[in-house]
């Protein structure tokens, strides 16, 4: 008999729809949180990896265009903060679109498989 089948007594079978519905709602909410968390984690990792090179390149370009920026550290730091904020926001949008297009289906599939397995296991425990 397949692992994901349940063998129930009639009393358990009567409770099954209610228990299954409750567990499915919980599994859906947990799954959605996990998908969001995984996407956020992936986006954050990629932005942290890409941002320093982009920020450095933009700062070099701005300093080349206006060498006087190197004279005033306060102005330089303010510009650096502005560039960092802009680059981070831009990269976050770009990487989020890429992750959602390429990785999201795979992540959802993994989370769904895990949730299904856990749901079946929990159903068995609930109905014992």
């Amino acid at each position: 008999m397949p692992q994901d089948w349940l063998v129930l007594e009639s009393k358990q079978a009567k409770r099954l729809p209610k228990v299954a519905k409750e567990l499915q709602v919980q599994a859906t909410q947990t799954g959605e949180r996990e998908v969001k968390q995984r996407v956020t984690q992936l986006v954050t990792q990629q932005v942290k990896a890409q941002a320093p090179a982009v920020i450095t390149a933009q700062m070099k370009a701005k300093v080349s265009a206006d060498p006087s920026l190197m004279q005033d550290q306060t102005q330089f730091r303010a510009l650096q903060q502005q560039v960092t904020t802009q680059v981070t926001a831009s990269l976050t949008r770009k990487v989020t679109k890429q992750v959602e297009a390429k990785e999201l289906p795979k992540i959802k599939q993994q989370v769904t498989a895990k949730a299904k397995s856990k749901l079946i296991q929990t159903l068995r425990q609930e109905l014992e």
Side-chain angles (χ1 to χ4, degrees):
M1 179 169 32
Q3 252 186 326
D4 58 353
W5 283 22
L6 292 172
V7 178
L8 306 172
E9 298 172 4
S10 62
K11 189 177 4 174
Q12 292 171 319
K14 288 178 185 175
R15 285 185 40 225
L16 179 62
K18 181 182 177 196
V19 171
K21 181 71 174 166
E22 290 170 0
L23 291 175
Q24 186 174 14
V25 168
Q26 289 173 355
T28 300
Q29 291 170 346
T30 301
E32 288 172 355
R33 277 193 306 270
E34 187 171 342
V35 167
K36 186 175 181 178
Q37 181 182 6
R38 283 191 188 186
V39 167
T40 301
Q41 183 180 25
L42 202 53
V43 168
T44 301
Q45 287 173 347
Q46 290 184 20
V47 168
K48 282 183 177 180
Q50 295 174 25
V54 176
I55 292 167
T56 301
Q58 286 192 14
M59 286 301 295
K60 282 182 181 178
K62 290 189 184 284
V63 168
S64 292
D66 184 5
S68 68
L69 290 170
M70 294 304 291
Q71 304 303 318
D72 184 359
Q73 286 298 311
T74 305
Q75 186 181 8
F76 179 81
R77 285 197 180 100
L79 178 63
Q80 191 173 30
Q81 182 62 44
Q82 179 186 8
V83 168
T84 300
T85 302
Q86 290 171 344
V87 166
T88 303
S90 174
L91 275 176
T92 300
R93 284 190 300 275
K94 178 183 162 193
V95 170
T96 299
K97 286 180 184 177
Q98 290 173 345
V99 167
E100 286 176 348
K102 295 178 183 175
E103 302 294 327
L104 189 58
K106 192 184 329 176
I107 292 170
K108 282 185 175 181
Q109 184 180 22
Q110 291 169 348
V111 169
T112 300
K114 181 180 169 185
K116 180 181 176 185
S117 174
K118 185 158 177 68
L119 180 64
I120 291 166
Q121 181 183 9
T122 306
L123 266 175
R124 284 194 172 123
Q125 291 171 351
E126 288 283 329
L127 295 172
E128 286 181 351

